[in-house]
Amino acid sequence: MTRLSVNINKIALIRNARGSNFPDLLKVAQDCESFGAEGITVHPRPDERHVKFSDIPLLKQVVQTEFNIEGYPSEEFIKMVCDNAPKQVTLVPDPPGALTSSEGWDTLKYRQELKDISTEFKKHNIRVSIFVDPSLGMVEGAKETGTDRIELYTGDYAHNYDINKEEAIAPFVSAAKLANKLDLGINAGHDLNLDNLHFFYLQIPKLLEVSIGHALVVDSLYYGLKNTIQIYKRLLTNY
Ligand code: PXP
């Protein structure tokens, strides 16, 4: 089974635009769950333009499914994650000010740092996932950090899907096979959408979770949040 974790950053972005609590992020998170989401993902960035650090303890109280906090492991981020103990933390190498995450970790260069940080999270019983490009070397490097899972950065897949989907998926299949062999769980995310998700799901062996935000929120404008979540979930089956 592949879980759908809904990234609610874009909902927070809309809320922040008016400086009030509308839409109510907690209610949207709960509604996503009641509509079928199997996880809620947030990615607090240092400038807090999306989810704010102060949202985290409140979300932790209401989220009943899997709570996943993503982000760059600054001291502030590490402390906030340990204090709130989500089910999963996803480490992303996006420096402060980045528009979005656009690449995975160099797990060889940062192996020791990632190992130390993973150890700290595991002491708090938090599952660790490390965002990586679909490169065999980076997957091997991730294994050495002691992480539980990798999250495959799917931006390049999404970009190349329309040109040649077999070529686009090939490095992801190789990376996933290696991850399975190394007993690393596999998550994936970035730019997954209604067009490219099902093929990704069919091709990747033992895909545990996808986190999807931008396209899902945009699709909700047309189809409504409930329908959209249910359509995405259906794409994660062999229907
Ligand atoms: N995974 C990671 C690590 C991310 O940084 C993001 C974007 O915040 C996503 C998944 C979701 O990407 P998208 O919003 O394109 O679905």
Side-chain angles (χ1 to χ4, degrees), residues 34-151:
S34 71
F35 298 155
E38 291 129 339
I40 297 293
T41 292
V42 292
H43 191 145
R45 290 199 160 83
D47 63 7
E48 300 199 307
R49 67 187 186 277
H50 305 117
V51 166
K52 296 174 192 278
F53 277 56
S54 58
D55 290 320
I56 305 295
L58 303 173
L59 282 164
K60 162 77 187 188
Q61 276 176 28
V62 301
V63 171
Q64 302 285 321
T65 58
E66 184 194 280
F67 190 30
N68 174 42
I69 306 181
E70 302 173 347
Y72 180 77
S74 62
E75 263 181 46
E76 188 191 15
F77 178 87
I78 293 172
K79 181 173 181 324
M80 178 273 291
V81 172
C82 290
D83 287 349
N84 289 284
K87 175 77 184 168
Q88 176 174 272
V89 61
T90 302
L91 303 179
V92 184
D94 56 344
L99 190 59
T100 184
S101 2
S102 52
E103 60 180 350
W105 285 97
D106 182 336
T107 54
L108 301 175
K109 187 169 169 193
Y110 293 103
R111 182 172 54 190
Q112 193 56 48
E113 288 89 338
L114 291 168
K115 195 172 182 172
D116 293 345
I117 297 165
S118 301
T119 306
E120 183 62 24
F121 287 134
K122 285 180 169 210
K123 278 190 209 151
H124 291 78
N125 283 324
I126 303 166
R127 187 207 294 146
V128 180
S129 179
I130 291 183
F131 199 48
V132 290
D133 291 321
S135 131
L136 300 185
M138 293 304 124
V139 175
E140 270 166 10
K143 177 68 185 174
E144 310 247 312
T145 68
T147 190
D148 303 291
R149 293 191 184 183
I150 52 168
E151 178 178 331

